[in-house]
Amino acid sequence: MPHDSIYDKTRAVLDAAGACLGVPVHDARLLRLHSNANFALPSAGMVVRIATNPGALDRVATSIAVTRWLADRGFPCVVPADVDDQPLMIAGHVVSVWRYVPTTNAPAPTGADIGRLLRDLHAQGDPPHPLRRFGDPFASVASAMEEAPDSMPETSRSWLADRIAWLRGQWSGMDFPLPAGLIHGDAHISNLMRATSGEIILGDWDHVATGPREWDLIQIHYMHRRFGRVGEDDIEAFTAAYGWDIRGWPELDTLIAIREITGLSPYIRTARIKSFSCEQLGYRLRTLKSGDKAARWESPPAE
């Protein structure tokens, strides 16, 4: 099944969404195609986000409610569009609609930016909308393994199942020094955007939950180790902006190891239909099995 079929399927959903909303889609521009297909509709002033995971309904509904609440409080986040009955269900896909924000690539967001935004987010308190509890970080990857049993060789599947079981034990015994509360859940620099106004905005709220704040704080360290997207200067600026240094916590390396496993979910789900996912899943598993902490991984290519 070619990669193009994923685009074709989500593009058909976009066309149906445009008809449902009564907005033009002739100028649609694909922004990203990974866990979600994100299409900008500049003339309509919208971004349409199509979840490729059919079980995403509750998470998307929560992301809409929480970002509306945060935006009303002045927090710089993506904002849901004024569309009734969000999220929408179209052809079995969960569809959400967001306000389009013109952005610029320069200057790029920094470690200080994400540190400042996380400090402010963690000071917000609890939103009125009920949040899922971030109790099992492995729920998505375990579900992906069940949904796609032929995504990897049996030897890799067995190793991954054992690794998840061991890390679950480590997770359950962790002593988190910070108080639990509202977390973004996927707070790394790639989810920041700079509006043409200069404002830095935090996007991608599918993983918002209540849980250990340390989960948000290790994302930049995970990105540094595996992708090299941030340097030591960004790490230092992030730490200074947030106001607490997680590097002094002895469980940091274990929490990064957990994050490495959870990041496999979209690759497992799409390994059979996307050559990049298949290749990257195999490579990541090989480096994890060998204990190679210096190996650099690749992000999905720009579409």
Side-chain angles (χ1 to χ4, degrees):
M1 185 176 182
H3 178 121
D4 286 349
S5 66
I6 303 174
Y7 172 81
D8 292 342
K9 183 182 293 185
T10 54
R11 177 63 210 222
V13 173
L14 174 68
D15 291 340
C20 177
L21 297 168
V23 299
V25 297
H26 66 278
D27 59 344
R29 185 174 77 253
L30 180 65
L31 302 175
R32 183 171 172 81
L33 179 57
H34 189 43
S35 300
N36 299 276
N38 295 347
F39 291 92
L41 303 179
S43 63
M46 295 176 173
V47 170
V48 175
R49 188 174 170 90
I50 303 167
T52 56
N53 177 6
L57 181 61
D58 289 344
R59 288 194 179 197
V60 175
T62 298
S63 73
I64 291 169
V66 172
T67 50
R68 277 183 176 147
W69 174 74
L70 285 170
D72 285 346
R73 294 166 67 89
F75 186 86
C77 60
V78 291
V79 181
D82 295 326
V83 172
D84 293 335
D85 300 323
Q86 284 212 68
L88 311 172
M89 287 297 299
I90 298 177
H93 288 72
V94 182
V95 177
S96 55
V97 189
W98 304 79
R99 294 182 191 172
Y100 174 73
V101 178
T103 60
T104 179
N105 293 327
T110 66
D113 290 323
I114 189 65
R116 170 180 53 81
L117 288 179
L118 286 178
R119 180 197 66 208
D120 294 346
L121 177 67
H122 293 172
Q124 292 295 321
D126 297 327
H129 185 89
L131 295 175
R132 70 181 180 92
R133 178 177 170 271
F134 188 69
D136 179 12
F138 302 101
S140 179
V141 69
S143 174
M145 291 174 68
E146 292 180 3
E147 294 168 16
D150 56 349
S151 59
M152 68 189 82
E154 186 54 39
T155 53
S156 295
R157 175 175 296 280
S158 177
W159 179 88
L160 184 55
D162 289 344
R163 181 66 170 165
I164 289 173
W166 186 81
L167 286 171
R168 265 195 174 125
Q170 300 299 112
W171 167 267
S172 65
M174 277 188 177
D175 183 16
F176 294 103
L178 298 179
L182 175 64
I183 61 172
H184 178 275
D186 195 21
H188 54 77
I189 282 182
S190 296
N191 282 330
L192 296 182
M193 62 190 84
R194 184 180 296 277
T196 52
S197 66
E199 184 179 34
I200 298 292
I201 297 169
L202 181 56
D204 195 353
W205 291 81
D206 287 357
H207 301 280
V208 66
T210 182
R213 267 56 185 269
E214 292 81 358
W215 185 253
D216 276 349
L217 301 185
I218 61 101
Q219 305 298 325
I220 193 170
H221 295 275
Y222 162 67
M223 299 299 286
H224 173 67
R225 173 185 293 182
R226 287 305 187 186
F227 302 95
R229 286 192 203 150
V230 293
E232 292 293 345
D233 289 347
D234 269 314
I235 297 287
E236 294 296 336
F238 169 84
T239 301
Y242 187 80
W244 182 69
D245 192 347
I246 196 172
R247 291 172 294 184
W249 181 48
E251 300 279 17
L252 171 62
D253 200 59
T254 302
L255 200 57
I256 294 175
I258 291 172
R259 179 64 182 88
E260 290 172 336
I261 296 296
T262 66
L264 299 177
S265 300
Y267 298 93
I268 294 172
R269 286 193 170 95
T270 59
R272 295 168 298 175
I273 53 177
K274 290 175 71 174
S275 60
F276 176 82
S277 294
C278 183
E279 293 164 5
Q280 192 62 197
L281 176 61
Y283 177 69
R284 293 189 184 192
L285 287 172
R286 287 193 298 275
T287 58
L288 288 169
K289 284 191 278 187
S290 68
D292 185 355
K293 294 182 180 180
R296 288 289 168 83
W297 297 348
E298 292 184 47
S299 297
E303 302 293 339

